[in-house]
């Protein structure tokens, strides 16, 4: 998030791409979008955990480009 926030024109958004599994044990697929472009996705039984993993994957991708 900090990398994206360095440029005020950039936007960061996490979106639920899918939800699978039974109601008592769902698995959420979350996508990380920067300027409406998906840069990563991750899955977890907890939305926040999936977002955190998604953010780490996005950070690693962005960092490796620089």
């Amino acid at each position: 998030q900090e990398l994206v926030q360095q440029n005020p024109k950039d936007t960061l958004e996490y979106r639920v791409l899918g939800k699978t599994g039974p109601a008592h044990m769902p698995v959420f697929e979350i996508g990380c979008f920067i300027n409406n472009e998906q840069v990563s996705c991750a899955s977890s039984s907890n939305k926040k955990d999936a977002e955190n993993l998604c953010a780490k994957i996005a950070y690693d991708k962005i960092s490796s480009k620089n």
Side-chain angles (χ1 to χ4, degrees), residues 15-42:
R15 299 179 194 164
V16 176
L17 302 177
K19 180 179 165 186
T20 59
H24 68 282
M25 191 184 269
V27 175
F28 298 94
E29 183 177 4
I30 303 291
C32 177
F33 292 78
I34 298 175
N35 299 327
N36 286 320
E37 181 180 331
Q38 185 175 345
V39 293
S40 65
C41 67

Side-chain angles (χ1 to χ4, degrees), residues 5-60:
Q5 291 173 348
Q6 289 175 1
N7 186 348
K9 293 182 181 181
D10 289 342
T11 60
L12 173 68
E13 181 181 7
Y14 296 101
R15 299 179 194 164
V16 176
L17 302 177
K19 180 179 165 186
T20 59
H24 68 282
M25 191 184 269
V27 175
F28 298 94
E29 183 177 4
I30 303 291
C32 177
F33 292 78
I34 298 175
N35 299 327
N36 286 320
E37 181 180 331
Q38 185 175 345
V39 293
S40 65
C41 67
S43 298
S44 178
S45 59
N46 179 294
K47 281 185 188 179
K48 195 51 114 174
D49 289 345
E51 287 178 2
N52 289 338
L53 182 56
C54 201
K56 181 183 177 347
I57 293 167
Y59 176 82
D60 291 345

